[in-house]
Amino acid sequence: MENKHYAIAIDGPAAAGKSTIAKRVAQALGFTYVDTGAMYRAFTNAVIKKGLDPHDEQQAVTLIPGMEIDLLEDGRVICNGEDVTKVIREPLISGNVSYIAAMKPVRLALVDMQRAIATKHSVVMDGRDIGTYVLPNADVKIFQTASVETRAIRRYEENMQKGIPTSLEDVKADLRKRDYIDSHRDFAPLKPAVDSILIDTSFFSIDQAVDAVLQAVKKKLGGLPTC
Ligand code: DC
């Protein structure tokens, strides 16, 4: 008999620390980490690189056929054979990705890829619609949030470390804009699943946030799963 594949969904607004926490939780459980935001970012980069308008759905959808996005175990993101790991974190991509992520045909194509990964592996998948749409039967659903001030400072410091020049005010404005677009789009908007566990990390260290998620998993599943 095949082993059960577990799915842990972590949703929440931009820069709530989801990827850092999800990665650590995946590591602790031996699961595959799936950064779905990186997929929307890679698609956005492909659109811009081709000289297409990221606000124009008719133009953007022409890239769906043949689009290949691979999330490697070492964290690299490969789009149609090209390593886009660094470029997808640039402000140009962050500023446009919400428009691409609001396009239903793009979402359907990327959701297919996300579900395919979850059928083959036990996953910790982070995004906006994982618990509500991508994996509605996920074993554990977390909605991770933090105040916009905390999130802006975290993202700003992350950008500084990566050598991406930004100001704190610009980061905060971008987060507010993205949160608005992500939670007001028609199809699969950002919102907590009714059966999600809310974790506010505003005053948590990374270790405390990881621990809170692992405790929630333990409580929901009666112990920590292994794959
Ligand atoms: O998590 P992130 O900042 O890398 O996500 C980039 C954008 O992609 C974000 O503005 C919302 C969108 N996104 C989405 O709509 N659905 C997901 N499952 C993941 C990300």
Side-chain angles (χ1 to χ4, degrees):
M1 212 174 78
E2 255 187 53
N3 280 344
K4 172 182 164 59
H5 288 137
Y6 288 95
I8 297 172
I10 303 187
D11 290 302
K18 299 185 301 292
S19 62
T20 309
I21 308 308
K23 226 178 279 171
R24 289 266 304 265
V25 170
Q27 221 166 26
L29 299 173
F31 289 6
T32 299
Y33 165 57
V34 186
D35 177 357
T36 62
M39 299 171 96
Y40 289 96
R41 287 170 179 272
F43 197 102
T44 306
N45 180 58
V47 167
I48 290 173
K49 216 181 125 200
K50 263 254 155 71
L52 304 177
D53 179 358
H55 295 84
D56 185 330
E57 182 168 320
Q58 284 190 350
Q59 291 186 28
V61 299
T62 61
L63 294 191
I64 294 175
M67 172 65 64
E68 272 184 31
I69 302 172
D70 292 312
L71 305 177
L72 304 189
E73 279 202 18
D74 62 8
R76 278 181 298 149
V77 182
I78 310 295
C79 182
N80 295 334
E82 187 197 346
D83 186 338
V84 295
T85 316
K86 189 151 188 271
V87 71
I88 61 171
R89 304 293 159 192
E90 298 278 347
L92 177 64
I93 304 303
S94 300
N96 283 293
V97 62
S98 276
Y99 304 116
I100 293 290
M103 297 173 185
K104 186 172 177 181
V106 174
R107 297 199 72 79
L108 292 177
L110 298 191
V111 165
D112 275 352
M113 295 181 196
Q114 293 155 13
R115 287 181 177 155
I117 300 171
T119 60
K120 295 195 198 101
H121 307 274
S122 285
V123 293
V124 178
M125 191 176 286
D126 85 32
R128 304 293 189 287
D129 59 341
I130 310 305
T132 53
Y133 184 76
V134 181
L135 304 173
N137 297 320
D139 298 282
V140 184
K141 299 179 186 180
I142 306 286
F143 195 83
Q144 185 181 324
T145 187
S147 69
V148 71
E149 283 73 22
T150 305
R151 292 189 282 125
I153 291 169
R154 286 179 187 162
R155 181 53 52 92
Y156 173 73
E157 286 174 352
E158 212 176 284
N159 285 350
M160 297 286 279
Q161 271 173 13
K162 289 181 182 160
I164 298 171
T166 37
S167 77
L168 183 58
E169 277 319 303
D170 285 350
V171 172
K172 202 187 282 186
D174 174 61
L175 290 182
R176 283 192 207 278
K177 183 186 90 176
R178 277 204 290 149
D179 288 352
Y180 184 86
I181 301 173
D182 293 343
S183 48
H184 287 80
R185 66 179 173 230
D186 290 337
F187 182 61
L190 166 68
K191 63 173 180 200
V194 283
D195 49 351
S196 63
I197 299 154
L198 180 75
I199 297 182
D200 184 333
T201 67
S202 299
F203 302 105
F204 280 5
S205 66
I206 292 172
D207 283 347
Q208 285 171 322
V210 171
D211 199 48
V213 174
L214 289 174
Q215 290 304 327
V217 171
K218 222 186 230 177
K219 197 165 167 204
K220 182 85 198 293
L221 300 181
L224 288 183
T226 48
C227 59

